Amino acid sequence: MKQTALVMVDMQRDFLQPSSPLFVAQGPDVLANVVRALEAARAAGMPVVHVVRRHRSTGIDVDMCRKELFERTGGFLVTDSLGAEAPGALRPLDSEVVIAKTRWSGFFATDLDLVLRRMEVRHIVLMGLQTPNCIRATAVDALSLDYAVTVLSDATGSQTVDVQQSNLEDMTAMGVQILTTQQFVDLVRDT
Amino acid sequence: MKQTALVMVDMQRDFLQPSSPLFVAQGPDVLANVVRALEAARAAGMPVVHVVRRHRSTGIDVDMCRKELFERTGGFLVTDSLGAEAPGALRPLDSEVVIAKTRWSGFFATDLDLVLRRMEVRHIVLMGLQTPNCIRATAVDALSLDYAVTVLSDATGSQTVDVQQSNLEDMTAMGVQILTTQQFVDLVRDT
């Protein structure tokens, strides 16, 4: 697993709280596995990158498809708001890179590719929320940029079991490696 | 001047203070004109965009050509540091967009293009520091993205008068409109 980084996507309160307009149903279920994978990567000295969605309070950078929702609900994932934060166990360390994005893919209009290149990362392991949107879009861009991509099947979540399953199948067909959190933890420990 | 935004680039303490390793010699000289243009745009209701350079404290996102300098000097333009701030008169209003970048062009690995598109801006007026690097790189990308581009000749600065002049000439040849601050202020007032 040389030149590999663990990339955690959108593990933020506004995706994890049932009262939020952006709540992802499987979010709370995968939290424990996300924490396990994060701790395993840190213990092994594997670099960790935190990709998060953040919006300016004016909403000028919100996806068109969510603009009306942002305005109607008073906004979400606003920079420096509680809703944009990660739960305590997932907070970035000072040594870890945080990438703020405003669209689905972690590569879109961000410096994620530049930073991974500087770290000499050639393989990213994705976990977080939600599988059909940000995980998949990030995986597709990563593949397009010649990264090897692994997705953790039980440390990523969707709104339903069916959506989760069909997206994992689609990504497998595109060349993404699918591992369970346990498989990832074992691999990292043995490296 | 419809669909025009004033884009202020890199007017930050670490470019304006003689003790900084990134000091731009003409920076202090153009400060008054930058303030004038900013105030004229605000008075006319023209949107203002603040493009700033910010680096993570680890330096992972610093240009390769400045990496050694960043490490040797203990860093510059670090997010949330005093050196990354604008002088008081140039601070962004809450309603104004701030774009943080890590390279010369304001468009490189940022969402500047997305935000300008959302604002329906088709013409940008550039001012700030420094002319051969960030002003010119941003102008070139803007032209490539089909924006009309104006540069304020005496609200942009370089290390020397010769560099300033030759860069304004080069940009004119590329299709950039060059105006003085006075011309800009008059145009904005008459619109």
Side-chain angles (χ1 to χ4, degrees):
Chain A
M1 306 266 276
K2 248 173 72 183
Q3 296 176 311
T4 296
L6 180 63
V7 178
M8 186 173 81
V9 179
D10 288 8
M11 290 299 292
Q12 296 161 274
R13 293 177 193 276
D14 277 349
F15 290 113
L16 289 164
Q17 284 172 336
S19 60
S20 161
L22 297 185
F23 176 59
V24 178
Q26 290 186 328
D29 305 334
V30 302
L31 188 55
N33 282 335
V34 170
V35 172
R36 276 187 70 209
L38 177 65
E39 289 176 351
R42 284 175 175 167
M46 177 183 289
V48 173
V49 175
H50 300 253
V51 172
V52 294
R53 182 184 277 262
R54 284 188 200 147
H55 293 297
R56 294 170 180 87
S57 57
T58 57
I60 188 88
D61 56 12
V62 176
D63 326 44
M64 277 311 245
C65 60
R66 286 180 180 158
K67 194 166 170 289
E68 188 274 329
L69 184 67
F70 188 90
E71 286 160 6
R72 181 160 46 82
T73 59
F76 38 72
L77 297 165
V78 170
T79 304
D80 294 332
S81 71
L82 186 65
E85 278 184 17
L90 299 177
R91 296 254 173 81
L93 304 180
D94 286 346
S95 59
E96 292 170 351
V97 174
V98 178
I99 304 282
K101 67 181 173 68
T102 63
R103 295 293 187 272
W104 293 294
S105 169
F107 291 97
F108 195 90
T110 75
D111 63 353
L112 177 57
D113 186 47
L114 292 184
V115 168
L116 292 176
R117 224 185 286 194
R118 179 70 57 87
M119 295 162 83
E120 300 188 349
V121 167
R122 294 285 172 271
H123 172 208
I124 64 171
V125 178
L126 290 166
M127 63 175 185
L129 301 173
Q130 60 168 310
T131 311
N133 297 1
C134 296
I135 296 293
R136 184 165 173 166
T138 305
V140 168
D141 279 350
L143 289 170
S144 304
L145 291 163
D146 288 341
Y147 292 93
V149 180
T150 298
V151 168
L152 301 188
S153 57
D154 53 358
T156 52
S158 303
Q159 296 295 7
T160 70
V161 172
D162 285 351
V163 170
Q164 177 72 7
Q165 188 55 35
S166 62
N167 273 277
L168 292 179
E169 286 167 15
D170 289 349
M171 286 192 281
T172 301
M174 297 172 85
V176 171
Q177 179 189 43
I178 308 291
L179 294 179
T180 63
T181 302
Q182 186 62 51
Q183 287 173 318
F184 173 73
V185 169
D186 290 343
L187 268 173
V188 166
R189 196 172 37 212
D190 297 342
T191 307
Chain B
M1 306 264 277
K2 248 173 70 182
Q3 296 176 311
T4 296
L6 180 63
V7 178
M8 186 173 81
V9 179
D10 288 8
M11 291 299 292
Q12 296 160 273
R13 293 177 192 277
D14 277 348
F15 290 113
L16 290 164
Q17 284 172 335
S19 60
S20 162
L22 297 186
F23 176 59
V24 179
Q26 291 187 327
D29 305 334
V30 302
L31 187 55
N33 282 335
V34 170
V35 172
R36 277 187 69 209
L38 177 66
E39 289 175 352
R42 284 175 175 168
M46 176 182 290
V48 174
V49 175
H50 301 253
V51 172
V52 295
R53 182 183 277 262
R54 284 187 199 147
H55 292 297
R56 294 170 179 88
S57 57
T58 57
I60 188 88
D61 56 13
V62 175
D63 326 45
M64 277 312 245
C65 61
R66 285 179 181 159
K67 196 167 169 289
E68 188 274 328
L69 183 69
F70 188 90
E71 286 160 6
R72 180 161 46 82
T73 60
F76 38 73
L77 298 164
V78 170
T79 304
D80 295 332
S81 72
L82 186 65
E85 277 183 19
L90 299 177
R91 296 251 172 83
L93 304 180
D94 286 346
S95 59
E96 292 171 351
V97 174
V98 179
I99 303 282
K101 66 181 173 69
T102 62
R103 295 292 188 272
W104 293 294
S105 169
F107 291 97
F108 195 90
T110 74
D111 64 352
L112 177 56
D113 185 48
L114 292 184
V115 167
L116 292 175
R117 224 184 289 194
R118 178 72 56 88
M119 295 162 82
E120 300 187 351
V121 168
R122 294 286 172 269
H123 171 207
I124 64 171
V125 178
L126 289 166
M127 63 176 185
L129 303 173
Q130 58 168 311
T131 311
N133 297 1
C134 296
I135 297 293
R136 183 163 174 167
T138 305
V140 168
D141 279 349
L143 290 170
S144 304
L145 291 163
D146 288 342
Y147 292 93
V149 180
T150 298
V151 168
L152 301 188
S153 57
D154 53 358
T156 51
S158 304
Q159 295 294 7
T160 71
V161 173
D162 285 352
V163 169
Q164 177 72 7
Q165 189 54 35
S166 62
N167 274 277
L168 292 179
E169 287 167 14
D170 289 349
M171 285 192 281
T172 301
M174 297 171 87
V176 171
Q177 178 189 44
I178 308 291
L179 293 180
T180 64
T181 302
Q182 186 62 51
Q183 288 172 317
F184 172 75
V185 168
D186 291 343
L187 269 173
V188 166
R189 198 171 35 211
D190 298 343
T191 307

